[in-house]
Amino acid sequence: MALVAGEAGIGKSSLVRAFAAARRGLWLGACDPLVTPRPLGPWHDIARQAGGALAEALAAHEPPLDALLDALERPGPPRVVVLEDLHWADAASLDLLILLARRIERLRALLVLTYRDDEAPGHPLHATLAALPRDAVRRVLLPPLSRECVAEQAARSGRDPAAVYDLTGGNPLLVTEALNEEPAGAVHHLILTRLERLQAPARDLAELAAVMQRLDVAGDGPEPALVDRCVAAGVLVAAGDGAGFRHELLRRAVEDALPPGRRRALHLRAVRRLEARPAVDPARLAHHARLSQDEELLRRYSLSAAESAAAQGAHREAAAHYRALVDLGAGAEVLEAYAFQAYLAGLSAEAVDARRRAAEQRRAAGDWERAGANERWLSRLAWWSGDTALARRAVAAAVETLGQGPPGRELAMALSTRAQLHMLAHEVEPAVEWGTRAAELAERLGDGETAVHAAINVTTARLVRGDPDASGELVRLHERAAAAGLVDHAARALVNRACTELWIGDDLAATLAAIAAALAYADRHDLDGYRQYLLGVRAAVRVEAGDWAGALADADESLAYPARGGVGPLPAYVARGRVQSARGEPEAEATLDLALREALATEELQRIGPVAIVRAEHWLYLGEPGRAAAEARRGLELAVSVGHRRYTRELAFRLSRATGAPSDVDWRAAAEGFGRGGRLLARVHALALGDAAAAGAALAALDALGARQAAGWLRADLRRRGVRGVPRGPRPATAANAAGLTGRQAEVLRLLADGCSNAEIAAALTLSEKTVQHHVSAILAKLSAASRTQAAATARRLGLV
């Protein structure tokens, strides 16, 4: 995989075109700057070129991964696949890219990806780039032209080299445009000056091209001649049967200069123009309809775009299209569709109000069954949003509402949802009772979906209780749900299995395997809510296992999703906060305060327990045992009340460490058991109770992780206990390079974090720019960073600068 990155106008597309010119069989997919991106847009482009099973799968709205893999595994010359402008890609396209990337080493293919590396830190592309396999990736970072190059070009045009460089910053596109224009001025004025020189009909066509991104022209009318005038004037460039702007920067300059009324009128013309064509992607029509501010067109095309996106599994894009309709005052049916797509996209918090409004509309219309169904869905969404109190009230209301009529499917599902809430709160007996009632009603009604939903709840409760057969039964329920097309239930079976294995088991390898299976299913079906949650859970497991680089990468990817509160991001906050605390990073307290707030709102031990453990550790490391004891007691009381042995044991241990009470832990046996299960941190805590040799092993493990604050506390504790021969900590230089950087790379990183360019770094360290670029690429790879800005932020977080 080749990642071609740089700012707009830096030459990414030019480089790719030059590379592709000498190669046959290249597939090219492009992302477009639409308000809501086309679902799987670049992959549809590639399918039109590839044909065969890939085109058939996308046309049928089936998952295209298998067909794409088959196409790229065929014998013959390696295939080159280019995806341009990934910063405009939809979520489904990025998810498919991750799935393909994880299999790239077995494929006869090169993936070339172009993107802008100056996007905002929260942009979803960053999470995608962080998830790509490092060993298969080569980064091609395109720097600006040097002063010498710009001076040479300016001299040929008789222009002032310093003025041209100051005007353009060495951006190749802007240099080209500046040198083609006579009077010097602001760069965005260059294209506008050329536009003004055109006569009205040609200028009108160029402005239409600006809002449509690309203008297709056919026939023998006046348009071909007008396009020729635009090309001759340097406003547009020819592209196939039409024309467009040489670069997005130039197109944006024209579009931004349009008066609001004129821009709306052009978008309306774009809709009418596209309506006359066959098989136009509804996302394009919805884009222009929204910007035309024509409500009738917006209602028509947003609905078709939403339904198309949902059919392709692009849930986030479907929710965005439905959201536009909700803003116009949609009815209950649209509110329900919007809420369901938002739920699947992991945007539960924004769907809560939609379900509440839909319930009110159904109740006002006298449709009690659908009103109750919306109340049941409100419960589910409230739980994902972290408001368990609302979830319990809503499901109770649903059972009451649906109980007014004859027992039906919606009542069975409401009973099962109540069982689900009991199961999630570790209330095993009520979960089994309500789940059994739901299953019996569903069986009488012949309702297979609710029967599976209830069985998952009951079986998960059995697994929590320690039933050895329940784990395998959840896998069978997953297969049953998947075969019936019940994607959400199939995913939940695997998620419940993975997370319950984490709560009750000590074998982290088995837990990671269960998480991997659940993640793979969520990936295939674009289930962002589950994916965000599972990435955080895996991050927490990796922290415990000692894989802190992997844990932080998972946490960053999880927290790159739009949901910032509720259940979804909570495990990632806990994992990140635990590493920050152990390493003594100043952000630790804020992260753990956020985790506590979200956990307490859930009222569930599986959220509150891990937060209490990490917060108790945090205050212990900071030398405040009273606050550590209070945190441990908070979780311990809840763990005891629901009878959870694992959390009771772990929180009682931390309480004893905070209060100085004698511990009955057999540290040798505990360390041996934790070692077999791969639980490095638990083993460290056990060894810390032992003799000098055991404590030395614990310190060595903490030092290797860069856990300076945790190791400092342990050293002080050992000295208080009178343990002799406590090893000293690592030298500062070693600690500073915990990320695996060489001494020279650490120097480059410090200058990079100060905002220095490659040329400035080269001058400061007496190196060539090419050598600096190699060092920067290595730094980005070692820090799992997608850009210089992200590398600087990571370096500050790790205390490397």
Side-chain angles (χ1 to χ4, degrees), residues 639-711:
V640 170
S641 71
V642 300
H644 196 295
R645 292 190 298 272
R646 165 83 172 275
Y647 285 139
T648 297
R649 184 176 68 244
E650 293 202 11
L651 287 160
F653 171 74
R654 281 158 180 81
L655 181 59
S656 71
R657 294 294 271 161
T659 60
S663 173
D664 59 357
V665 174
D666 181 342
W667 66 266
R668 284 189 176 86
E672 183 179 349
F674 291 141
R676 284 196 304 270
R679 296 186 61 197
L680 176 67
L681 285 193
R683 181 173 181 272
V684 164
H685 284 299
L687 291 172
L689 298 174
D691 54 23
L699 283 170
L702 292 174
D703 289 338
L705 291 170
R708 296 182 293 276
Q709 188 154 271

Side-chain angles (χ1 to χ4, degrees), residues 563-621:
R564 289 291 184 268
V567 172
L570 180 54
Y573 289 135
V574 176
R576 178 186 280 181
R578 194 174 194 186
V579 173
Q580 290 173 336
S581 173
R583 286 178 168 171
E585 297 175 16
E587 301 89 353
E589 188 169 344
T591 302
L592 294 178
D593 284 348
L594 180 57
L596 179 64
R597 186 182 72 229
E598 299 296 338
L600 291 177
T602 71
E603 304 177 358
E604 293 175 356
L605 176 64
Q606 60 171 308
R607 323 293 164 203
I608 296 172
V611 174
I613 289 169
V614 175
R615 287 178 66 87
E617 289 178 356
H618 176 68
W619 293 115
L620 203 59
Y621 296 156

Side-chain angles (χ1 to χ4, degrees), residues 162-202:
V164 173
Y165 189 86
D166 291 342
L167 181 67
T168 65
N171 182 290
L173 172 72
L174 301 184
V175 169
T176 301
E177 295 302 312
L179 295 179
N180 287 340
E181 190 62 31
E182 294 180 4
V187 170
H188 72 277
H189 289 158
L190 299 176
I191 190 68
L192 299 181
T193 300
R194 295 178 187 173
L195 189 68
E196 286 298 321
R197 293 173 181 167
L198 289 171
Q199 292 182 343

Side-chain angles (χ1 to χ4, degrees), residues 314-671:
H315 305 300
R316 193 179 303 176
E317 285 68 37
H321 288 301
Y322 278 125
R323 192 183 303 120
L325 295 171
V326 169
D327 291 342
L328 294 176
E333 191 170 340
V334 168
L335 288 167
E336 290 160 355
Y338 163 57
F340 182 62
Q341 293 301 317
Y343 163 70
L344 293 178
L347 303 172
S348 296
E350 71 176 61
V352 166
D353 185 60
R355 281 291 178 184
R356 185 183 286 114
R357 289 164 57 190
E360 292 169 355
Q361 290 187 23
R362 295 296 190 189
R363 193 178 296 108
D367 190 341
W368 294 100
E369 186 174 21
R370 292 194 179 183
N374 277 294
E375 288 169 337
R376 196 269 303 177
W377 265 111
L378 176 59
S379 173
R380 181 66 173 152
L381 295 168
W383 178 84
W384 267 110
S385 304
D387 192 344
T388 299
L390 174 58
R392 289 178 180 266
R393 292 196 304 271
V395 78
V399 171
E400 181 180 354
T401 298
L402 294 165
Q404 298 178 28
R409 177 190 180 282
E410 292 299 344
L411 176 60
M413 187 61 87
L415 295 174
S416 186
T417 300
R418 181 157 184 177
Q420 184 177 8
L421 287 175
H422 286 301
M423 175 269 293
L424 291 164
H426 204 83
E427 297 162 357
V428 175
E429 299 310 322
V432 172
E433 178 187 344
W434 285 90
T436 302
R437 284 180 58 187
E440 290 173 349
L441 177 56
E443 293 293 344
R444 289 202 306 271
L445 297 169
D447 178 7
E449 179 178 359
T450 304
V452 168
H453 189 275
I456 291 170
N457 296 328
V458 171
T459 307
T460 304
R462 285 171 39 213
L463 183 59
V464 169
R465 194 164 51 189
D467 185 338
D469 298 326
S471 181
E473 179 62 21
L474 281 173
V475 174
R476 288 188 287 275
L477 286 168
H478 158 75
E479 293 168 348
R480 176 179 163 188
L486 304 174
V487 171
D488 183 42
H489 305 332
R492 195 168 65 88
L494 293 182
V495 173
N496 286 9
R497 172 175 171 262
C499 294
T500 308
E501 291 284 0
L502 174 61
W503 306 337
I504 66 174
D506 286 316
D507 185 351
L508 293 192
T511 301
L512 285 169
I515 292 171
L519 260 174
Y521 188 80
D523 282 341
R524 284 198 300 275
H525 295 278
D526 196 29
L527 301 174
D528 285 355
Y530 286 121
R531 194 166 191 280
Q532 178 183 36
Y533 177 70
L534 287 166
L535 285 167
V537 171
R538 189 170 69 181
V541 174
R542 285 177 162 173
V543 172
E544 180 66 31
D547 178 12
W548 286 11
L552 290 173
D554 276 346
D556 287 347
E557 188 175 353
S558 174
L559 296 175
Y561 282 91
R564 289 291 184 268
V567 172
L570 180 54
Y573 289 135
V574 176
R576 178 186 280 181
R578 194 174 194 186
V579 173
Q580 290 173 336
S581 173
R583 286 178 168 171
E585 297 175 16
E587 301 89 353
E589 188 169 344
T591 302
L592 294 178
D593 284 348
L594 180 57
L596 179 64
R597 186 182 72 229
E598 299 296 338
L600 291 177
T602 71
E603 304 177 358
E604 293 175 356
L605 176 64
Q606 60 171 308
R607 323 293 164 203
I608 296 172
V611 174
I613 289 169
V614 175
R615 287 178 66 87
E617 289 178 356
H618 176 68
W619 293 115
L620 203 59
Y621 296 156
L622 290 179
E624 298 194 37
R627 298 184 72 171
E631 296 289 350
R633 287 192 184 98
R634 188 207 313 269
L636 183 59
E637 292 172 2
L638 182 57
V640 170
S641 71
V642 300
H644 196 295
R645 292 190 298 272
R646 165 83 172 275
Y647 285 139
T648 297
R649 184 176 68 244
E650 293 202 11
L651 287 160
F653 171 74
R654 281 158 180 81
L655 181 59
S656 71
R657 294 294 271 161
T659 60
S663 173
D664 59 357
V665 174
D666 181 342
W667 66 266
R668 284 189 176 86

Side-chain angles (χ1 to χ4, degrees), residues 280-301:
V280 174
D281 193 316
R284 291 194 68 191
L285 287 161
H287 167 80
H288 293 297
R290 186 178 303 185
L291 294 178
S292 74
Q293 299 182 15
D294 185 304
E295 287 194 11
E296 180 184 349
L297 290 174
L298 180 57
R299 291 180 191 277
R300 183 192 312 163
Y301 291 119

Side-chain angles (χ1 to χ4, degrees), residues 39-288:
L40 296 171
W43 300 106
H44 278 285
D45 292 346
I46 287 169
R48 279 192 288 274
Q49 299 158 57
L54 179 59
E56 293 172 2
L58 282 169
H61 300 324
E62 295 175 353
L65 177 61
D66 290 341
L68 185 58
L69 291 174
D70 289 343
L72 297 178
E73 288 176 337
R74 293 175 192 151
R79 177 71 64 179
V80 178
V81 179
V82 178
L83 299 180
E84 285 211 270
D85 296 322
L86 277 180
H87 45 276
W88 291 323
D90 63 292
S93 291
L94 295 177
D95 287 343
L96 181 55
L97 173 61
I98 291 173
L99 294 175
L100 190 63
R102 290 173 180 165
R103 298 156 177 81
I104 190 67
E105 292 188 348
R106 77 172 198 235
L107 304 179
R108 301 177 59 77
L110 167 68
L111 263 64
V112 181
L113 316 175
T114 77
Y115 63 95
R116 296 181 188 171
D117 62 356
D118 54 356
E119 295 296 331
H123 195 283
L125 177 60
H126 295 310
T128 301
L129 296 175
L132 300 181
R134 295 188 202 174
D135 293 344
V137 168
R138 296 295 179 270
R139 287 177 168 80
V140 183
L141 303 176
L142 302 185
L145 302 176
S146 66
R147 284 187 177 274
E148 292 76 14
C149 177
V150 173
E152 181 180 338
Q153 301 298 318
R156 293 176 182 172
S157 302
R159 304 289 298 279
D160 180 359
V164 173
Y165 189 86
D166 291 342
L167 181 67
T168 65
N171 182 290
L173 172 72
L174 301 184
V175 169
T176 301
E177 295 302 312
L179 295 179
N180 287 340
E181 190 62 31
E182 294 180 4
V187 170
H188 72 277
H189 289 158
L190 299 176
I191 190 68
L192 299 181
T193 300
R194 295 178 187 173
L195 189 68
E196 286 298 321
R197 293 173 181 167
L198 289 171
Q199 292 182 343
R203 185 167 62 250
D204 178 72
L205 198 63
E207 290 173 345
L208 181 61
V211 300
M212 293 190 71
Q213 284 118 45
R214 184 183 184 279
L215 197 63
D216 292 322
V217 178
D220 300 324
E223 280 195 356
L226 294 175
V227 167
D228 290 343
R229 293 179 193 174
C230 293
V231 172
V235 173
L236 301 179
V237 292
D241 293 332
F245 287 82
R246 182 179 302 177
H247 196 276
E248 176 66 10
L249 284 172
L250 304 178
R251 187 196 70 78
R252 282 284 179 89
V254 174
E255 184 181 35
D256 292 346
L258 294 170
R262 170 69 174 158
R263 190 180 309 151
R264 289 194 298 271
L266 287 169
H267 280 290
L268 184 60
R269 278 180 60 191
V271 173
R272 301 306 183 197
R273 191 179 182 100
L274 292 172
E275 284 177 329
R277 297 184 192 170
V280 174
D281 193 316
R284 291 194 68 191
L285 287 161
H287 167 80
H288 293 297

